[in-house]
Amino acid sequence: MYCHGWEVRDRAIGVLGSFHQALMFRQLSKDVTLFRHAGAELTEEQWEQLAGLGIGVVDGDVGGLDVDERNRLAGVRLVSGGVVPVQELVVSPRFVARAGFLDGLGLTLQEHPMGIGEQVAVDASGFTGVAGVWAAGNASDVMAGVPQAMAAGVSAAAAINMDLLMADARGAAASRAAVPEVDVFSGAMEAEVSRRVLGSRVHGLVDGG
């Protein structure tokens, strides 16, 4: 509805299978009908919300559409044979992240919270739970617009940079630890040398006594 919908305001609108879309289009028209079709089962709370908003609900599968003599939508035809008059019909697409090229990495896919598609599961930084793999944009949020996708990319980039930085630090520490102890100039040894050489001037202060 955020891209289209205003042009059908105040008309008789049918919504195919989507509870959330029915709520959204109720903002534009008082005449909204939800066709259950193959949609998810409604909870008791959802039934109450639909009733409270005056949204009609039609059970049964949709079999086709009826058009008038000017080839305009006139109604939704049910498999059972009945026809429900509507002027517009909302069909919700299903969004699926195009992450097939990542198959084999062991990533987890999850349903979008609104039930509109499937996306890669990530944490707040975009980390997928698989070492070295982050995801951002529509791969991890199928509803993300350009600004949200850009922001997610920035967060993932910062997390990747920190991960690489820490890997370098761990590698440097491991290499240092691998050197024979006799050749290691440790932090403790450096502190002891400073204490012996600088004495009371160790912090840049001269003992006035």
Side-chain angles (χ1 to χ4, degrees), residues 103-166:
D103 289 349
L105 293 180
L107 304 185
T108 300
L109 298 180
Q110 65 181 10
E111 189 74 8
H112 187 276
M114 291 180 63
I116 59 171
E118 193 175 68
Q119 58 199 27
V120 178
V122 297
D123 66 12
S125 73
F127 181 54
T128 64
V130 176
V133 182
W134 277 257
N138 291 127
S140 58
D141 182 357
V142 293
M143 281 291 287
V146 173
Q148 296 96 324
M150 292 172 62
V154 171
S155 295
I160 291 169
N161 181 64
M162 182 57 66
D163 185 68
L164 294 173
L165 185 155
M166 294 307 298

Short mmCIF file of all heavy atoms in Angstrom, two decimals, residues 103-166:
data_model
loop_
_atom_site.label_atom_id
_atom_site.label_comp_id
_atom_site.label_asym_id
_atom_site.label_seq_id
_atom_site.Cartn_x
_atom_site.Cartn_y
_atom_site.Cartn_z
N ASP A 103 23.92 -21.00 -0.74
CA ASP A 103 23.64 -22.39 -0.34
C ASP A 103 24.95 -23.11 -0.03
O ASP A 103 25.95 -22.97 -0.73
CB ASP A 103 22.91 -23.13 -1.46
CG ASP A 103 21.48 -22.65 -1.63
OD1 ASP A 103 21.01 -21.91 -0.75
OD2 ASP A 103 20.85 -23.00 -2.64
N GLY A 104 24.93 -23.89 1.01
CA GLY A 104 26.12 -24.63 1.39
C GLY A 104 26.90 -23.99 2.52
O GLY A 104 27.79 -24.61 3.09
N LEU A 105 26.55 -22.73 2.85
CA LEU A 105 27.24 -22.05 3.94
C LEU A 105 26.61 -22.35 5.30
O LEU A 105 27.18 -22.01 6.33
CB LEU A 105 27.24 -20.53 3.71
CG LEU A 105 28.07 -20.03 2.52
CD1 LEU A 105 27.97 -18.51 2.43
CD2 LEU A 105 29.53 -20.46 2.65
N GLY A 106 25.44 -22.95 5.27
CA GLY A 106 24.78 -23.28 6.54
C GLY A 106 23.99 -22.14 7.14
O GLY A 106 23.76 -22.11 8.35
N LEU A 107 23.57 -21.18 6.31
CA LEU A 107 22.80 -20.05 6.82
C LEU A 107 21.38 -20.49 7.19
O LEU A 107 20.86 -21.46 6.66
CB LEU A 107 22.72 -18.94 5.77
CG LEU A 107 24.05 -18.40 5.23
CD1 LEU A 107 23.80 -17.23 4.29
CD2 LEU A 107 24.96 -17.96 6.38
N THR A 108 20.78 -19.73 8.10
CA THR A 108 19.42 -20.02 8.53
C THR A 108 18.46 -19.04 7.87
O THR A 108 18.68 -17.82 7.91
CB THR A 108 19.29 -19.90 10.06
OG1 THR A 108 20.17 -20.84 10.68
CG2 THR A 108 17.86 -20.19 10.50
N LEU A 109 17.40 -19.55 7.27
CA LEU A 109 16.36 -18.69 6.70
C LEU A 109 15.20 -18.63 7.68
O LEU A 109 14.90 -19.61 8.37
CB LEU A 109 15.89 -19.24 5.35
CG LEU A 109 16.95 -19.30 4.25
CD1 LEU A 109 16.33 -19.86 2.97
CD2 LEU A 109 17.55 -17.93 3.98
N GLN A 110 14.55 -17.48 7.75
CA GLN A 110 13.42 -17.33 8.65
C GLN A 110 12.31 -16.53 7.98
O GLN A 110 12.54 -15.76 7.05
CB GLN A 110 13.84 -16.63 9.94
CG GLN A 110 14.30 -15.19 9.74
CD GLN A 110 14.73 -14.52 11.03
OE1 GLN A 110 14.87 -15.17 12.06
NE2 GLN A 110 14.96 -13.22 10.99
N GLU A 111 11.10 -16.72 8.49
CA GLU A 111 9.94 -16.01 7.97
C GLU A 111 9.96 -14.56 8.45
O GLU A 111 10.34 -14.28 9.59
CB GLU A 111 8.66 -16.70 8.43
CG GLU A 111 7.39 -16.19 7.79
CD GLU A 111 7.21 -16.64 6.34
OE1 GLU A 111 8.01 -17.48 5.88
OE2 GLU A 111 6.28 -16.15 5.69
N HIS A 112 9.59 -13.64 7.57
CA HIS A 112 9.47 -12.25 7.98
C HIS A 112 8.38 -12.15 9.05
O HIS A 112 7.39 -12.88 9.00
CB HIS A 112 9.10 -11.38 6.77
CG HIS A 112 9.10 -9.92 7.05
ND1 HIS A 112 8.02 -9.27 7.61
CD2 HIS A 112 10.05 -8.97 6.86
CE1 HIS A 112 8.30 -7.99 7.74
NE2 HIS A 112 9.52 -7.77 7.30
N PRO A 113 8.53 -11.26 10.05
CA PRO A 113 7.54 -11.16 11.13
C PRO A 113 6.10 -10.96 10.65
O PRO A 113 5.16 -11.37 11.32
CB PRO A 113 8.03 -9.94 11.93
CG PRO A 113 9.50 -9.92 11.70
CD PRO A 113 9.68 -10.37 10.28
N MET A 114 5.93 -10.32 9.48
CA MET A 114 4.58 -10.09 8.96
C MET A 114 4.11 -11.23 8.06
O MET A 114 3.02 -11.16 7.48
CB MET A 114 4.52 -8.77 8.20
CG MET A 114 4.68 -7.54 9.08
SD MET A 114 4.61 -5.99 8.13
CE MET A 114 2.94 -6.05 7.48
N GLY A 115 4.94 -12.28 7.94
CA GLY A 115 4.53 -13.43 7.15
C GLY A 115 4.48 -13.18 5.65
O GLY A 115 3.76 -13.87 4.93
N ILE A 116 5.26 -12.21 5.17
CA ILE A 116 5.19 -11.86 3.75
C ILE A 116 6.34 -12.43 2.93
O ILE A 116 6.42 -12.20 1.73
CB ILE A 116 5.18 -10.33 3.57
CG1 ILE A 116 6.46 -9.73 4.18
CG2 ILE A 116 3.95 -9.72 4.19
CD1 ILE A 116 6.63 -8.27 3.87
N GLY A 117 7.24 -13.18 3.58
CA GLY A 117 8.35 -13.72 2.82
C GLY A 117 9.39 -14.37 3.70
O GLY A 117 9.20 -14.55 4.90
N GLU A 118 10.51 -14.71 3.08
CA GLU A 118 11.58 -15.45 3.76
C GLU A 118 12.89 -14.71 3.58
O GLU A 118 13.20 -14.22 2.49
CB GLU A 118 11.66 -16.85 3.15
CG GLU A 118 12.50 -17.84 3.93
CD GLU A 118 12.42 -19.22 3.32
OE1 GLU A 118 12.95 -19.39 2.20
OE2 GLU A 118 11.82 -20.12 3.94
N GLN A 119 13.68 -14.63 4.66
CA GLN A 119 14.92 -13.87 4.63
C GLN A 119 15.99 -14.56 5.46
O GLN A 119 15.70 -15.45 6.25
CB GLN A 119 14.68 -12.46 5.16
CG GLN A 119 14.12 -12.45 6.58
CD GLN A 119 13.45 -11.14 6.95
OE1 GLN A 119 12.94 -10.42 6.11
NE2 GLN A 119 13.46 -10.82 8.24
N VAL A 120 17.25 -14.13 5.27
CA VAL A 120 18.36 -14.70 6.03
C VAL A 120 18.30 -14.19 7.46
O VAL A 120 18.13 -12.99 7.70
CB VAL A 120 19.71 -14.30 5.39
CG1 VAL A 120 20.88 -14.85 6.21
CG2 VAL A 120 19.78 -14.82 3.95
N ALA A 121 18.44 -15.08 8.42
CA ALA A 121 18.41 -14.71 9.84
C ALA A 121 19.74 -14.07 10.23
O ALA A 121 20.80 -14.64 9.98
CB ALA A 121 18.14 -15.94 10.70
N VAL A 122 19.67 -12.88 10.82
CA VAL A 122 20.88 -12.16 11.25
C VAL A 122 20.62 -11.49 12.60
O VAL A 122 19.48 -11.34 13.02
CB VAL A 122 21.29 -11.08 10.23
CG1 VAL A 122 21.64 -11.70 8.88
CG2 VAL A 122 20.18 -10.04 10.06
N ASP A 123 21.73 -11.06 13.25
CA ASP A 123 21.57 -10.26 14.46
C ASP A 123 21.59 -8.78 14.08
O ASP A 123 21.54 -8.43 12.89
CB ASP A 123 22.65 -10.60 15.50
CG ASP A 123 24.06 -10.22 15.04
OD1 ASP A 123 24.20 -9.51 14.02
OD2 ASP A 123 25.03 -10.64 15.71
N ALA A 124 21.67 -7.89 15.07
CA ALA A 124 21.58 -6.45 14.80
C ALA A 124 22.71 -5.94 13.91
O ALA A 124 22.56 -4.93 13.21
CB ALA A 124 21.58 -5.68 16.12
N SER A 125 23.85 -6.63 13.90
CA SER A 125 24.99 -6.19 13.08
C SER A 125 24.98 -6.81 11.69
O SER A 125 25.81 -6.48 10.86
CB SER A 125 26.31 -6.55 13.78
OG SER A 125 26.55 -7.94 13.70
N GLY A 126 24.04 -7.73 11.45
CA GLY A 126 24.00 -8.42 10.17
C GLY A 126 24.71 -9.76 10.19
O GLY A 126 24.77 -10.46 9.18
N PHE A 127 25.25 -10.15 11.36
CA PHE A 127 25.96 -11.42 11.47
C PHE A 127 24.99 -12.59 11.36
O PHE A 127 23.94 -12.61 12.02
CB PHE A 127 26.72 -11.49 12.79
CG PHE A 127 27.52 -12.75 12.98
CD1 PHE A 127 28.44 -13.15 12.02
CD2 PHE A 127 27.35 -13.53 14.10
CE1 PHE A 127 29.18 -14.32 12.18
CE2 PHE A 127 28.08 -14.69 14.29
CZ PHE A 127 29.00 -15.09 13.32
N THR A 128 25.34 -13.56 10.54
CA THR A 128 24.43 -14.69 10.27
C THR A 128 24.59 -15.85 11.25
O THR A 128 23.79 -16.79 11.21
CB THR A 128 24.69 -15.24 8.86
OG1 THR A 128 26.03 -15.77 8.81
CG2 THR A 128 24.53 -14.15 7.81
N GLY A 129 25.60 -15.79 12.09
CA GLY A 129 25.87 -16.92 12.97
C GLY A 129 26.89 -17.87 12.38
O GLY A 129 27.38 -18.78 13.05
N VAL A 130 27.23 -17.67 11.10
CA VAL A 130 28.26 -18.46 10.43
C VAL A 130 29.52 -17.61 10.36
O VAL A 130 29.48 -16.47 9.88
CB VAL A 130 27.83 -18.87 9.01
CG1 VAL A 130 28.95 -19.61 8.29
CG2 VAL A 130 26.57 -19.73 9.07
N ALA A 131 30.62 -18.13 10.86
CA ALA A 131 31.87 -17.36 10.93
C ALA A 131 32.22 -16.72 9.59
O ALA A 131 32.25 -17.39 8.55
CB ALA A 131 33.01 -18.27 11.39
N GLY A 132 32.44 -15.40 9.63
CA GLY A 132 32.87 -14.68 8.44
C GLY A 132 31.77 -14.29 7.47
O GLY A 132 32.06 -13.77 6.39
N VAL A 133 30.50 -14.51 7.85
CA VAL A 133 29.41 -14.21 6.91
C VAL A 133 28.41 -13.24 7.54
O VAL A 133 27.83 -13.53 8.59
CB VAL A 133 28.66 -15.50 6.49
CG1 VAL A 133 27.57 -15.16 5.47
CG2 VAL A 133 29.64 -16.51 5.90
N TRP A 134 28.23 -12.10 6.89
CA TRP A 134 27.22 -11.11 7.27
C TRP A 134 26.26 -10.92 6.11
O TRP A 134 26.62 -11.17 4.95
CB TRP A 134 27.88 -9.77 7.60
CG TRP A 134 28.43 -9.64 8.98
CD1 TRP A 134 27.88 -8.96 10.03
CD2 TRP A 134 29.65 -10.19 9.49
NE1 TRP A 134 28.67 -9.07 11.15
CE2 TRP A 134 29.77 -9.82 10.84
CE3 TRP A 134 30.65 -10.98 8.91
CZ2 TRP A 134 30.84 -10.20 11.63
CZ3 TRP A 134 31.72 -11.37 9.70
CH2 TRP A 134 31.81 -10.98 11.04
N ALA A 135 25.07 -10.48 6.40
CA ALA A 135 24.08 -10.20 5.36
C ALA A 135 23.41 -8.87 5.67
O ALA A 135 23.25 -8.49 6.83
CB ALA A 135 23.04 -11.32 5.28
N ALA A 136 23.01 -8.16 4.62
CA ALA A 136 22.36 -6.86 4.80
C ALA A 136 21.41 -6.61 3.64
O ALA A 136 21.37 -7.37 2.67
CB ALA A 136 23.41 -5.75 4.88
N GLY A 137 20.63 -5.54 3.75
CA GLY A 137 19.69 -5.19 2.68
C GLY A 137 18.53 -6.16 2.63
O GLY A 137 18.11 -6.72 3.65
N ASN A 138 18.01 -6.40 1.44
CA ASN A 138 16.84 -7.27 1.30
C ASN A 138 17.16 -8.74 1.54
O ASN A 138 16.24 -9.55 1.68
CB ASN A 138 16.21 -7.11 -0.08
CG ASN A 138 15.56 -5.76 -0.26
OD1 ASN A 138 15.85 -5.05 -1.20
ND2 ASN A 138 14.69 -5.37 0.66
N ALA A 139 18.43 -9.10 1.61
CA ALA A 139 18.77 -10.48 1.94
C ALA A 139 18.37 -10.81 3.37
O ALA A 139 17.96 -11.92 3.68
CB ALA A 139 20.26 -10.73 1.75
N SER A 140 18.46 -9.81 4.26
CA SER A 140 18.14 -10.03 5.67
C SER A 140 16.85 -9.34 6.10
O SER A 140 16.38 -9.54 7.22
CB SER A 140 19.29 -9.54 6.56
OG SER A 140 19.56 -8.17 6.33
N ASP A 141 16.28 -8.50 5.24
CA ASP A 141 15.00 -7.85 5.53
C ASP A 141 14.30 -7.58 4.20
O ASP A 141 14.60 -6.60 3.52
CB ASP A 141 15.21 -6.55 6.30
CG ASP A 141 13.89 -5.87 6.66
OD1 ASP A 141 12.81 -6.38 6.27
OD2 ASP A 141 13.92 -4.82 7.33
N VAL A 142 13.38 -8.46 3.84
CA VAL A 142 12.76 -8.36 2.52
C VAL A 142 11.90 -7.10 2.37
O VAL A 142 11.53 -6.73 1.25
CB VAL A 142 11.90 -9.61 2.21
CG1 VAL A 142 12.78 -10.83 2.06
CG2 VAL A 142 10.83 -9.82 3.28
N MET A 143 11.60 -6.42 3.47
CA MET A 143 10.81 -5.19 3.41
C MET A 143 11.66 -3.93 3.40
O MET A 143 11.14 -2.82 3.30
CB MET A 143 9.84 -5.14 4.60
CG MET A 143 8.60 -6.00 4.43
SD MET A 143 7.50 -5.35 3.16
CE MET A 143 6.82 -3.92 4.01
N ALA A 144 12.97 -4.06 3.51
CA ALA A 144 13.84 -2.89 3.63
C ALA A 144 13.82 -2.06 2.35
O ALA A 144 13.97 -2.58 1.25
CB ALA A 144 15.26 -3.33 3.94
N GLY A 145 13.64 -0.75 2.52
CA GLY A 145 13.78 0.17 1.40
C GLY A 145 15.25 0.55 1.25
O GLY A 145 16.11 0.06 2.00
N VAL A 146 15.55 1.43 0.30
CA VAL A 146 16.94 1.80 0.04
C VAL A 146 17.63 2.38 1.28
O VAL A 146 18.75 1.98 1.62
CB VAL A 146 17.03 2.77 -1.15
CG1 VAL A 146 18.46 3.30 -1.31
CG2 VAL A 146 16.58 2.08 -2.43
N PRO A 147 17.02 3.34 2.01
CA PRO A 147 17.71 3.89 3.19
C PRO A 147 18.01 2.83 4.24
O PRO A 147 19.11 2.81 4.81
CB PRO A 147 16.72 4.94 3.72
CG PRO A 147 15.88 5.31 2.54
CD PRO A 147 15.74 4.03 1.77
N GLN A 148 17.03 1.94 4.51
CA GLN A 148 17.26 0.89 5.51
C GLN A 148 18.35 -0.07 5.06
O GLN A 148 19.18 -0.52 5.86
CB GLN A 148 15.97 0.12 5.78
CG GLN A 148 14.86 0.95 6.39
CD GLN A 148 13.90 1.48 5.36
OE1 GLN A 148 14.30 1.83 4.24
NE2 GLN A 148 12.63 1.56 5.71
N ALA A 149 18.35 -0.41 3.77
CA ALA A 149 19.36 -1.33 3.25
C ALA A 149 20.75 -0.72 3.35
O ALA A 149 21.73 -1.39 3.70
CB ALA A 149 19.04 -1.69 1.79
N MET A 150 20.85 0.59 3.05
CA MET A 150 22.14 1.27 3.15
C MET A 150 22.64 1.28 4.60
O MET A 150 23.82 1.02 4.87
CB MET A 150 22.01 2.70 2.63
CG MET A 150 21.77 2.81 1.14
SD MET A 150 21.38 4.49 0.61
CE MET A 150 22.89 5.35 1.07
N ALA A 151 21.73 1.57 5.53
CA ALA A 151 22.12 1.61 6.94
C ALA A 151 22.57 0.23 7.42
O ALA A 151 23.56 0.11 8.16
CB ALA A 151 20.94 2.10 7.79
N ALA A 152 21.85 -0.81 6.99
CA ALA A 152 22.23 -2.17 7.38
C ALA A 152 23.60 -2.53 6.81
O ALA A 152 24.40 -3.21 7.45
CB ALA A 152 21.18 -3.16 6.90
N GLY A 153 23.87 -2.05 5.59
CA GLY A 153 25.17 -2.30 4.98
C GLY A 153 26.30 -1.64 5.76
O GLY A 153 27.38 -2.22 5.93
N VAL A 154 26.05 -0.41 6.24
CA VAL A 154 27.06 0.29 7.04
C VAL A 154 27.33 -0.47 8.34
O VAL A 154 28.48 -0.64 8.75
CB VAL A 154 26.59 1.73 7.34
CG1 VAL A 154 27.52 2.39 8.36
CG2 VAL A 154 26.56 2.56 6.06
N SER A 155 26.25 -0.92 9.00
CA SER A 155 26.42 -1.66 10.26
C SER A 155 27.20 -2.95 10.03
O SER A 155 28.08 -3.31 10.81
CB SER A 155 25.04 -1.99 10.86
OG SER A 155 24.36 -0.81 11.23
N ALA A 156 26.87 -3.65 8.94
CA ALA A 156 27.57 -4.90 8.64
C ALA A 156 29.04 -4.64 8.32
O ALA A 156 29.93 -5.38 8.77
CB ALA A 156 26.89 -5.61 7.47
N ALA A 157 29.31 -3.56 7.57
CA ALA A 157 30.69 -3.23 7.22
C ALA A 157 31.52 -2.93 8.47
O ALA A 157 32.67 -3.37 8.59
CB ALA A 157 30.71 -2.03 6.27
N ALA A 158 30.93 -2.18 9.42
CA ALA A 158 31.65 -1.87 10.66
C ALA A 158 31.93 -3.14 11.45
O ALA A 158 33.02 -3.32 12.01
CB ALA A 158 30.83 -0.89 11.50
N ALA A 159 30.95 -4.04 11.49
CA ALA A 159 31.13 -5.29 12.22
C ALA A 159 32.19 -6.17 11.56
O ALA A 159 33.00 -6.81 12.23
CB ALA A 159 29.80 -6.05 12.30
N ILE A 160 32.20 -6.19 10.22
CA ILE A 160 33.20 -6.97 9.49
C ILE A 160 34.60 -6.41 9.76
O ILE A 160 35.56 -7.16 9.99
CB ILE A 160 32.89 -6.96 7.99
CG1 ILE A 160 31.61 -7.76 7.71
CG2 ILE A 160 34.05 -7.54 7.18
CD1 ILE A 160 31.08 -7.59 6.30
N ASN A 161 34.72 -5.08 9.73
CA ASN A 161 36.02 -4.46 9.99
C ASN A 161 36.52 -4.82 11.39
O ASN A 161 37.70 -5.15 11.57
CB ASN A 161 35.90 -2.94 9.86
CG ASN A 161 37.23 -2.25 10.10
OD1 ASN A 161 38.18 -2.43 9.35
ND2 ASN A 161 37.30 -1.47 11.16
N MET A 162 35.63 -4.76 12.37
CA MET A 162 36.03 -5.11 13.74
C MET A 162 36.42 -6.58 13.84
O MET A 162 37.37 -6.94 14.54
CB MET A 162 34.89 -4.79 14.71
CG MET A 162 35.22 -5.06 16.17
SD MET A 162 36.70 -4.17 16.75
CE MET A 162 36.12 -2.47 16.66
N ASP A 163 35.69 -7.43 13.14
CA ASP A 163 36.00 -8.86 13.16
C ASP A 163 37.39 -9.12 12.58
O ASP A 163 38.18 -9.90 13.14
CB ASP A 163 34.95 -9.63 12.36
CG ASP A 163 35.14 -11.14 12.45
OD1 ASP A 163 34.96 -11.70 13.54
OD2 ASP A 163 35.49 -11.75 11.41
N LEU A 164 37.71 -8.46 11.47
CA LEU A 164 39.03 -8.61 10.85
C LEU A 164 40.13 -8.04 11.75
O LEU A 164 41.22 -8.62 11.88
CB LEU A 164 39.05 -7.93 9.49
CG LEU A 164 38.15 -8.54 8.41
CD1 LEU A 164 38.13 -7.66 7.17
CD2 LEU A 164 38.61 -9.95 8.07
N LEU A 165 39.83 -6.89 12.37
CA LEU A 165 40.80 -6.26 13.27
C LEU A 165 41.14 -7.19 14.43
O LEU A 165 42.31 -7.39 14.78
CB LEU A 165 40.21 -4.95 13.78
CG LEU A 165 41.07 -4.03 14.66
CD1 LEU A 165 40.56 -2.60 14.54
CD2 LEU A 165 41.05 -4.47 16.11
N MET A 166 40.10 -7.79 15.03
CA MET A 166 40.32 -8.69 16.16
C MET A 166 41.04 -9.96 15.73
O MET A 166 41.86 -10.51 16.48
CB MET A 166 38.99 -9.02 16.83
CG MET A 166 38.30 -7.84 17.49
SD MET A 166 39.38 -6.97 18.67
CE MET A 166 39.70 -8.27 19.86
#
